[in-house]
Amino acid sequence: MPFDLLIRNATVVDGTGAPRFGADIGVRGGRVEAVGALAKEEADAEIDASGLVAAPGFIDAHTHDDRLMLSAPDMAPKVSQGVTTVIAGNCGVSLAPAPRGMPRPVTPPIDLLDVEGGWFRFRTFADYVAALREQPAATNCALLVGHSMLRVQTMADLEQPASPAEIAQMRALVDEALEAGAIGVSTGLYYEPARAAPTEEVIEVCRPLSARRGLYCTHMRDEGDRVMEALEETFRIGRELGVPVVVSHHKVVGTPNYGRSAETLPLIERAMRSQRIGLDCYPYCASSTILTFDRTLTSAKTLVTWSQQHPEFSGMDLTAIAQQMGVGVREAVERLVPAGAIYFSMDEKDVQRILGFEHTMIGSDGLPHDAAPHPRLWGTFPRVLGHYARDANLFSLETAVHKMTGLTARTFGLADRGVLKPGYAADITLFDAGTIDAAATFENSIQPARGIAAVLVNGTPVWRDGRSTGERPGKVLRRG
Ligand code: ZN
Ligand code: CU
């Protein structure tokens, strides 16, 4: 019986970190069926991968694609860089559940998903999962439910710790989400809607994770002066619940903290001996989130990525905007919000040390609805493979691929993903290791990457020759 698809003459980098080898790849029924010398085999379709690397499709460990999967299901920013699975619902922000609907104006940073608010239409998490199954996206996804979203949906006053009754309501919503297919809970304890939540609230809200084998992902309370305390809080939550934790977009921000990844990584490594800890990182020394005046104070330079009041300033430097308005920076921020920004607030050496850390996964943290987004949205994975692995020689190609495939699948418990071998799902990315890199820049960030030849999701091509195929074979994945 012929294969559905035969990829011939590929250089396989299989996602485990093992050295590359030459092979053909036979795909049938959405799975990899054979990897080896298949010259005599036949197939309904063929791709000649001479000169190309075949890797497992990349898993984006950290996204805000909750709504993009429904509003732009081709997922061009992701499939164009070889991503075949996205982890959504991060930083305490998820599109569902919205039993109360969404009060306007939408509370920042939940407004990163939709500033108008009309997309917060799923009363239960199960309704959201059903919508993704009925109208699949081009990529697979695994979903987190956001603690800040739960707070907005259940609490009278976000500036207080949750009452026992509010905790019980949030816990019931977590249980419903996990039952419906969520793989865990995310928090954004740094952000205003969750800042008042004590550690004990988080633990009590997340209780269902223990019985349902979920995981806890966090945008920690502090990534600056108090980053060590924030790591300890994260580890405590994981220990008390007996669940794996993921430290989202690990970084140390603000000039006084430059170099402190030399403290955080050993702390993480030590804690990993007694509990399960993962972390992800994006390959840039600028962050991006909502615009607030406070955050500009620790940033060498601030670019505005969107503004509801003044969309014409998207992409511009905040200082230049303030000058043009003829006001100070604080006043300019007040006129622009709700808005988003890019903050240049990290040290390149820290970024490299964190990326190079053995246990670090790659996650984009891309913000797909920004008018002038951070280039990480379109460039993260090719930049790691090109700029950091090939050009800067931070690690081997095999290690780079492992950080975006096998390691990520293992951390999130995605059983049949992240490795290119028989029996696994046929999520496959073909790329040119000599030319791959991000094309997106801070000046011009909406750009498909260079060097991606073809991308398959569950055996179906979703990106070919520089464009989306229009196919949408994505599945909602659960923890295996
Ligand atoms: Zn975050
Ligand atoms: Cu995030």
Side-chain angles (χ1 to χ4, degrees):
M1 204 169 76
F3 291 113
D4 298 341
L5 174 72
L6 196 47
I7 300 170
R8 293 195 191 272
N9 310 314
T11 298
V12 176
V13 174
D14 71 4
T16 65
R20 67 196 81 178
F21 57 93
D24 309 314
I25 302 159
V27 171
R28 188 180 288 136
R31 308 220 146 244
V32 174
E33 196 166 281
V35 176
L38 306 172
K40 293 193 192 115
E41 303 293 328
E42 292 184 358
D44 299 338
E46 293 194 6
I47 298 177
D48 180 12
S50 301
L52 298 174
V53 168
F58 308 146
I59 302 170
D60 191 341
H62 187 106
T63 83
H64 295 282
D65 293 342
D66 307 46
R67 170 194 144 194
L68 189 72
M69 290 188 277
L70 297 169
S71 65
D74 282 350
M75 299 289 285
K78 294 304 163 74
V79 297
S80 62
Q81 48 179 320
V83 169
T84 57
T85 296
V86 299
I87 313 291
N90 280 285
C91 299
V93 176
S94 59
L95 200 62
R100 278 191 190 172
M102 181 54 77
R104 317 290 158 91
V106 180
T107 314
I110 294 172
D111 61 354
L112 290 173
L113 293 181
D114 179 17
V115 72
E116 305 291 341
W119 280 96
F120 297 96
R121 61 176 69 141
F122 303 104
R123 300 273 151 172
T124 66
F125 209 85
D127 289 347
Y128 174 52
V129 172
L132 288 170
R133 291 215 166 101
E134 271 156 38
Q135 292 175 287
T139 59
N140 306 304
C141 64
L143 306 170
L144 302 165
V145 60
H147 168 245
S148 291
M149 180 62 171
L150 300 179
R151 286 190 121 233
V152 166
Q153 291 295 323
T154 55
M155 290 184 62
D157 182 357
L158 293 172
E159 285 171 27
Q160 296 295 319
S163 69
E166 288 165 340
I167 287 176
Q169 278 184 59
M170 286 193 267
R171 191 191 294 159
L173 292 173
V174 167
D175 202 56
E176 188 268 329
L178 294 172
E179 166 96 55
I183 62 162
V185 175
S186 76
T187 58
L189 300 176
Y190 169 76
Y191 289 111
E192 287 75 0
R195 245 180 219 175
T199 312
E200 293 73 21
E201 172 186 319
V202 176
I203 293 169
E204 292 311 317
V205 167
C206 289
R207 281 283 172 211
L209 292 177
S210 308
R212 293 194 183 271
R213 300 181 52 252
L215 48 80
Y216 174 75
C217 302
T218 182
H219 180 151
M220 299 193 300
R221 210 178 280 281
D222 196 297
E223 297 178 313
D225 299 351
R226 299 177 63 83
V227 64
M228 300 295 269
E229 291 89 330
L231 283 166
E232 295 286 10
E233 179 185 35
T234 304
F235 303 158
R236 179 187 157 200
I237 292 166
R239 278 196 312 272
E240 294 208 12
L241 292 167
V243 303
V245 300
V246 174
V247 175
S248 294
H249 43 59
H250 183 46
K251 59 171 107 57
V252 282
V253 298
T255 330
N257 296 306
Y258 282 10
R260 292 191 66 202
S261 58
E263 297 169 46
T264 61
L265 296 176
L267 183 70
I268 293 171
E269 198 155 40
R270 223 172 307 133
M272 285 179 92
R273 290 185 205 139
S274 54
Q275 64 184 113
R276 289 177 62 190
I277 299 167
L279 71 161
D280 60 82
C281 181
Y282 50 78
Y284 295 89
C285 53
S287 65
S288 183
T289 182
I290 47 172
L291 174 65
T292 64
F293 179 66
D294 280 6
R295 290 179 185 101
T296 67
L297 298 174
T298 49
S299 180
K301 183 168 89 168
T302 302
L303 303 176
V304 170
T305 54
W306 61 277
S307 164
Q308 197 178 32
Q309 306 302 323
H310 292 282
E312 71 275 17
F313 289 129
S314 301
M316 273 180 68
D317 188 295
L318 180 61
T319 314
I321 296 171
Q323 262 164 20
Q324 205 166 312
M325 286 177 166
V327 299
V329 168
R330 187 191 289 268
E331 169 71 20
V333 168
E334 268 160 36
R335 293 190 190 182
L336 289 164
V337 293
I342 293 168
Y343 305 96
F344 290 81
S345 57
M346 285 176 252
D347 182 21
E348 174 68 25
K349 286 204 201 75
D350 284 317
V351 173
Q352 293 200 16
R353 193 183 288 130
I354 294 169
L355 282 174
F357 182 56
E358 187 189 342
H359 309 286
T360 303
M361 305 177 284
I362 308 304
S364 72
D365 202 9
L367 299 173
H369 312 298
D370 288 12
H374 188 302
R376 68 195 187 188
L377 174 65
W378 289 80
T380 288
F381 293 83
R383 179 169 163 83
V384 169
L385 294 165
H387 177 72
Y388 281 116
R390 182 191 60 229
D391 300 342
N393 214 0
L394 194 57
F395 32 60
S396 67
L397 177 67
E398 285 82 352
T399 296
V401 168
H402 177 61
K403 285 172 169 292
M404 48 185 78
T405 58
L407 176 63
T408 319
R410 193 173 71 210
T411 304
F412 287 95
L414 308 177
D416 58 350
R417 311 273 156 178
V419 179
L420 209 174
K421 77 176 195 192
Y424 279 66
D427 295 343
I428 301 172
T429 292
L430 300 179
F431 64 91
D432 181 339
T435 62
I436 192 164
D437 213 333
T441 61
F442 285 97
E443 294 73 35
N444 197 351
S445 65
I446 301 183
Q447 298 279 355
R450 286 187 286 271
I452 301 287
V455 182
L456 313 180
V457 172
N458 297 310
T460 301
V462 295
W463 183 265
R464 206 73 216 259
D465 306 322
R467 49 169 48 91
S468 288
T469 63
E471 300 286 345
R472 294 168 192 174
K475 294 181 181 174
V476 180
L477 307 180
R478 306 185 78 128
R479 263 165 77 75

